[in-house]
Amino acid sequence: MSMRIPPYARTFSLLLVALLAGLLSVAQTTSASEKAARQWVSYRGWQPGYVLPVYDSVNAREFFQQYHAHKAAWDKALAFLADPNTVTLDPGKYPIAGDTVYASITEGPSKTLEQAGWESHRKYIDLQYVLRGKEQISVVPIEKATVVHPYEATRDGASYTATGTDYIAAPGTFYLFFPHDVHRPNVQVNGYDIVKKLVIKIRYFAASTL
């Protein structure tokens, strides 16, 4: 003898399956294995047809998670970066998405190695891109840096001493620095005394809020 399942039980089961499928879909969207995230970065899955690559050593999983959790904000930031008119803008601050995404453009002399400082941020991710010229940017994991000035919320920054990996930043590649990335930008490269640069601040969301 077969047991009849009441209609309300079948409905409840279908709703439960749909709910679990939805939760799984969200979890898969905002998380990925290192390999999957790295493939996503390599194929520039954040924006089909986007022409500018991110630097090779970016934290791929962090990029993947932050982008998919707040895609609309990231798309606005990347569209501002990709706009060919951005390089022609005057130095100053530019709103993009309220206090979630905003940009600053500077144009001036770079710093000597002694003048440049190591920094990290908690509230915002740094997207840095040299519009014209060249500069040296260095980065190191936060656990390998020594704190000189502890984090201050008013300036969203902490200062460090460190030894890291050096990059020559030039038009054609952008850099992303998350809270665990201690970085030292704006270091002078011989022959490039004046540099025009774009920095986009993108609100960071901790894993517990994704």
Side-chain angles (χ1 to χ4, degrees):
M1 183 177 68
S2 61
M3 181 180 296
R4 271 190 84 177
I5 300 175
Y8 69 83
R10 289 198 298 270
T11 302
F12 176 78
S13 298
L14 290 173
L15 288 172
L16 182 60
V17 169
L19 176 62
L20 291 174
L23 290 173
L24 179 60
S25 176
V26 171
Q28 289 175 334
T29 298
T30 57
S31 64
S33 68
E34 179 65 29
K35 181 178 179 181
R38 183 58 59 186
Q39 288 176 339
W40 177 80
V41 168
S42 297
Y43 288 104
R44 302 177 198 174
W46 62 89
Q47 199 169 353
Y50 191 66
V51 295
L52 291 176
V54 68
Y55 82 118
D56 290 340
S57 298
V58 68
N59 186 313
R61 292 187 69 184
E62 189 79 272
F63 186 11
F64 182 97
Q65 291 170 355
Q66 292 291 320
Y67 175 85
H68 284 92
H70 303 280
K71 183 178 182 299
W74 276 88
D75 284 347
K76 289 179 181 179
L78 292 169
F80 189 92
L81 171 66
D83 189 336
N85 293 318
T86 297
V87 71
T88 68
L89 294 176
D90 293 330
K93 292 187 177 181
Y94 295 87
I96 297 175
D99 62 356
T100 301
V101 184
Y102 63 92
S104 296
I105 293 177
T106 58
E107 187 169 17
S110 298
K111 300 177 181 179
T112 66
L113 197 61
E114 292 73 24
Q115 292 171 329
W118 292 89
E119 62 187 35
S120 74
H121 316 288
R122 293 183 186 177
K123 294 179 183 177
Y124 288 93
I125 299 159
D126 263 12
L127 187 160
Q128 300 198 10
Y129 182 66
V130 171
L131 295 165
R132 188 180 297 124
K134 289 184 180 182
E135 71 175 37
Q136 178 180 298
I137 295 179
S138 305
V139 62
V140 66
I142 197 169
E143 63 270 15
K144 295 184 178 180
T146 301
V147 176
V148 175
H149 297 294
Y151 176 80
E152 295 179 12
T154 53
R155 65 183 185 93
D156 186 33
S159 301
Y160 305 81
T161 57
T163 300
T165 302
D166 302 330
Y167 300 90
I168 301 301
T173 300
F174 69 93
Y175 292 76
L176 282 176
F177 302 119
F178 299 95
H180 57 270
D181 296 320
V182 175
H183 49 285
R184 181 180 60 187
N186 308 323
V187 177
Q188 186 178 39
V189 171
N190 288 339
Y192 296 90
D193 296 332
I194 302 297
V195 174
K196 188 171 187 179
K197 185 174 180 181
L198 167 68
V199 176
I200 301 178
K201 294 284 189 175
I202 305 166
R203 186 70 187 231
Y204 178 77
F205 292 87
S208 59
T209 65
L210 295 179

